[in-house]
Amino acid sequence: MAYKYKPTSLMLPTSHYDKRKADHAVNFIQCLKHTTGKWQGQRIMLLPWEEQIVRDIFGIIGEDGYRQFRNAYIEIAKKNGKSTLSSALALYLLYADGEASPEVYSAACDRNQASIVYKEAEKMVRASPELMRRSKVNGSIKRIVSYNPEGFYQVLSAETGSKHGLNISGLIFDEIHAQKDRKLYDVLTKYSGSARTQPLFISITTAGNNKDSICYELHTKAIDIMKGTRHDPSFYPAIYGLSDEDDWHDEKNWYKANPSLGATISLERFREDYQNALENPAELNVFKQLRLNMWVSSAVAWIPEHVFDKGNATIDLESLKGRDCYAGLDLSSTSDLTAFVLLFPPRDDTEKYIVVPYFFLPEDTLPQRVARDHVLYDTWVANGYLITTEGNVVDYRFLQAFIEETCEKYHVLEIAYDRWNATMLVQNLIDEGLTMVPFGQGYKDMSPASKEFYKIMLEGKLIHGGNPVLRWMASNVVVDQDPAGNIKPTKAKSIEKIDGIVALIMAMGRAILNQNPGSVYDERGLCVF
């Protein structure tokens, strides 16, 4: 089927499509040759999705005569020819973009990853007599020098300290989802090309599993621009992937994440990978992330994002005052995060469970935690979702006063807590007249409560108001399962903190038991998911 170009809807009314410039980029790339696989030695022929990107980026010109797009974010599943396209774009920026003394760089989470794009580009140059006559290739330092125009293409290491002062004309940032923080991206894209007429920064990646990352920030921005809810005319988004609402079992949807399926990707091999994911739960999220370009939260996530997000409805706290509720208290250690979670059971069939969580961290350790864990603790504090206590450990006197005040505001019938973490705080709360109930962390106590919690959440009968700390913890939860099918959250295997979910499950266990004194579990057995 012939490809017919249609300019992106993101083109400004003051911009125009310059077919000559777009043809120039497409023709240059299609003069290069494949360097590996069954097409080795053959000229590159851009697939429709690739040609669309190239023509959009290089052919849409602003009213100032330069490219409209300065930043591009391309997200696509593995094995769609991402590295080949990246290498070809790097070489175009070096040899044919028209920039005086071009400086083109490859960057990634480490030098080895950045070298993948470079190595393929080097092979493309060596396979082209025309480019070799204009170049000096130094593979040992991963640098290609061009004599006409006079410039170079270089691989960068991951250290940020030496990157200030670069005069970048083109950047290929590969697999940005693997970046632990935003420092390198910021150093390379902010002001580093200010002396250039039309610098181009291209981030090309597969979906990741860290939603507190620079990659997910770019992903979200790209989605918002594509939806029309955010405006940045210099930012070009191209995302090929499935959303949580898409049926990933439907083969027709596979093409949304894999526009090269059937061309560079074998459909039969894809079906084999799909069957393997169905048969091996450990492979499921890997398949979703790498093959369907879906953002996943952990390798063995228990709570899918779309299930948790059923509870995002707004909560009216005033209406809850004086209302019966149960609480879960996960004290952890004095230097770690503490969770105190209220759960308001429904009073009739028209209501849902309502969750009001509180989280506490020592104030003095906050900066170190943000730097070490790459978690948005400081943002959550600023927005009122996380409470800090003075000192370098959680102040249990402050926590006791907070719990007592909260129990005066709401009618807290019981506070469930981990008996193995019982401290003087628990005894003090008992002395103040609060009902403290020890809650075992083994399968016996945690499994019925965990399964009931998941069932209620799956049915959309639990509201948490979209609390970002609780949402983050939900994405971290991994469960252990015994031969009998009992489950329990495991802090040891979960990728990050899950204290709020543990506290919520304890509160749920007490609420269910007290609402059904004969035990709902005895009446109908366990729900198994």
Side-chain angles (χ1 to χ4, degrees):
M1 184 174 66
Y3 167 69
K4 186 175 181 180
Y5 173 72
K6 181 180 179 181
T8 174
S9 60
L10 299 175
M11 185 171 70
L12 292 173
T14 54
S15 298
H16 68 279
Y17 173 63
D18 189 323
K19 185 176 183 300
R20 183 186 62 82
K21 290 184 177 180
D23 286 345
H24 187 250
V26 169
N27 293 338
F28 175 89
I29 291 173
Q30 295 192 149
C31 284
L32 300 172
K33 294 181 179 179
H34 288 282
T35 63
T36 57
K38 62 181 180 180
W39 292 290
Q40 183 175 5
Q42 298 181 32
R43 287 174 59 171
I44 293 173
M45 294 301 296
L46 292 172
L47 294 173
W49 71 271
E50 295 172 309
E51 187 165 343
Q52 179 75 38
I53 289 173
V54 172
R55 289 188 177 277
D56 282 344
I57 292 176
F58 294 99
I60 295 179
I61 308 301
E63 61 181 340
D64 59 359
Y66 300 117
R67 284 191 291 264
Q68 175 182 318
F69 300 110
R70 305 295 174 89
N71 289 276
Y73 178 79
I74 304 168
E75 188 182 290
I76 192 167
K78 291 282 190 183
K79 304 301 180 182
N80 279 274
K82 175 172 64 66
S83 295
T84 298
L85 178 61
S86 299
S87 302
L89 289 172
L91 294 181
Y92 180 79
L93 290 169
L94 173 62
Y95 291 107
D97 194 36
E99 184 72 26
S101 301
E103 294 184 20
V104 183
Y105 296 94
S106 282
C109 61
D110 56 51
R111 189 174 173 83
N112 288 335
Q113 179 65 46
S115 298
I116 293 174
V117 173
Y118 168 83
K119 288 177 180 177
E120 188 158 357
E122 180 184 312
K123 291 178 182 178
M124 290 177 180
V125 171
R126 293 188 184 278
S128 170
E130 295 83 0
L131 293 182
M132 278 301 293
R133 283 194 292 268
R134 300 164 53 183
S135 312
K136 178 182 179 181
V137 177
N138 192 333
S140 62
I141 60 172
K142 297 178 176 57
R143 183 183 180 96
I144 299 173
V145 176
S146 168
Y147 300 130
N148 183 23
E150 186 178 338
F152 62 85
Y153 167 40
Q154 174 78 54
V155 173
L156 292 173
S157 63
E159 291 75 25
T160 58
S162 60
K163 307 300 181 295
H164 295 277
L166 296 178
N167 190 17
I168 298 175
S169 60
L171 173 69
I172 307 294
F173 209 126
D174 191 29
E175 298 296 14
I176 195 171
H177 75 86
Q179 285 297 118
K180 293 182 178 179
D181 55 47
R182 60 179 304 135
K183 292 179 182 177
L184 182 60
Y185 179 82
D186 284 345
V187 167
L188 295 179
T189 60
K190 296 187 185 309
Y191 313 116
S192 60
S194 56
R196 300 288 183 175
T197 55
Q198 50 178 5
L200 181 60
F201 307 106
I202 301 175
S203 300
I204 188 161
T205 187
T206 305
N209 56 20
N210 179 10
K211 294 189 176 182
D212 294 309
S213 64
I214 177 60
C215 187
Y216 194 69
E217 179 183 318
L218 294 172
H219 167 88
T220 303
K221 179 177 181 178
I223 291 291
D224 289 345
I225 290 174
M226 293 165 71
K227 288 180 177 178
T229 57
R230 188 184 300 196
H231 180 67
D232 184 347
S234 68
F235 189 96
Y236 179 79
I239 295 181
Y240 301 88
L242 271 64
S243 68
D244 289 333
E245 289 71 36
D246 290 322
D247 180 4
W248 63 277
H249 301 284
D250 187 345
E251 286 192 8
K252 294 191 295 293
N253 285 332
W254 295 351
Y255 291 87
K256 293 175 64 176
N258 298 273
S260 299
L261 188 58
T264 64
I265 303 174
S266 163
L267 180 57
E268 287 305 313
R269 177 63 183 276
F270 206 99
R271 288 169 175 159
E272 292 174 7
D273 291 342
Y274 166 73
Q275 287 298 326
N276 186 47
L278 291 180
E279 296 166 6
N280 184 358
E283 294 292 329
L284 180 56
N285 272 12
V286 176
F287 177 80
K288 287 183 174 181
Q289 177 186 350
L290 302 185
R291 286 302 221 176
L292 298 178
N293 200 46
M294 300 176 71
W295 279 81
V296 296
S297 297
S298 71
V300 207
W302 181 46
I303 305 173
E305 180 180 332
H306 70 280
V307 171
F308 185 81
D309 285 348
K310 290 181 178 183
N312 284 342
T314 303
I315 297 172
D316 180 6
L317 294 176
E318 285 296 317
S319 69
L320 298 175
K321 287 184 177 180
R323 179 171 159 181
D324 289 356
C325 67
Y326 295 84
L329 177 63
D330 192 326
L331 292 171
S332 298
S333 67
T334 57
S335 61
D336 213 338
L337 194 148
T338 288
F340 179 59
V341 180
L342 303 182
L343 178 69
F344 297 81
R347 294 168 293 189
D348 55 51
D349 292 341
T350 66
E351 293 186 339
K352 300 180 180 181
Y353 287 86
I354 298 176
V355 181
V356 179
Y358 302 97
F359 302 98
F360 306 85
L361 266 181
E363 184 176 30
D364 291 354
T365 63
L366 188 66
Q368 294 92 332
R369 286 179 174 277
V370 172
R372 182 193 67 195
D373 301 336
H374 309 294
V375 176
L376 303 176
Y377 294 125
D378 51 348
T379 301
W380 293 333
V381 170
N383 292 332
Y385 294 110
L386 183 61
I387 301 167
T388 56
T389 66
E390 292 185 0
N392 57 9
V393 296
V394 172
D395 185 344
Y396 278 178
R397 291 173 300 178
F398 175 90
L399 185 58
Q400 179 180 338
F402 183 91
I403 292 174
E404 291 174 4
E405 181 182 339
T406 302
C407 290
E408 290 177 4
K409 185 186 304 182
Y410 307 107
H411 190 208
V412 180
L413 299 173
E414 295 179 358
I415 300 176
Y417 67 95
D418 178 3
R419 59 175 170 261
W420 297 110
N421 279 330
T423 66
M424 186 63 70
L425 170 64
V426 172
Q427 186 58 52
N428 290 344
L429 292 172
I430 293 173
D431 293 342
E432 292 298 323
L434 299 181
T435 303
M436 306 296 295
V437 180
F439 201 99
Q441 302 299 294
Y443 290 114
K444 177 179 177 294
D445 290 328
M446 290 298 291
S447 185
S450 296
K451 290 179 177 180
E452 197 66 25
F453 160 70
Y454 191 90
K455 175 181 179 293
I456 289 170
M457 189 169 50
L458 190 64
E459 293 172 343
K461 295 180 179 179
L462 184 141
I463 298 173
H464 47 68
N467 182 284
V469 185
L470 192 67
R471 188 178 194 273
W472 169 68
M473 290 180 175
S475 73
N476 295 330
V477 179
V478 173
V479 295
D480 274 337
Q481 181 171 337
D482 70 5
N486 297 307
I487 64 171
K488 64 176 181 177
T490 169
K491 292 184 178 181
K493 295 181 182 177
S494 297
I495 59 172
E496 259 291 357
K497 302 299 180 185
I498 63 171
D499 310 78
I501 298 298
V502 172
L504 174 52
I505 289 172
M506 290 194 291
M508 178 69 73
R510 296 306 304 172
I512 295 295
L513 188 63
N514 284 285
Q515 283 181 300
N516 301 275
S519 179
V520 66
Y521 314 122
D522 294 336
E523 292 174 10
R524 60 153 171 73
L526 298 176
C527 294
V528 179
F529 300 97

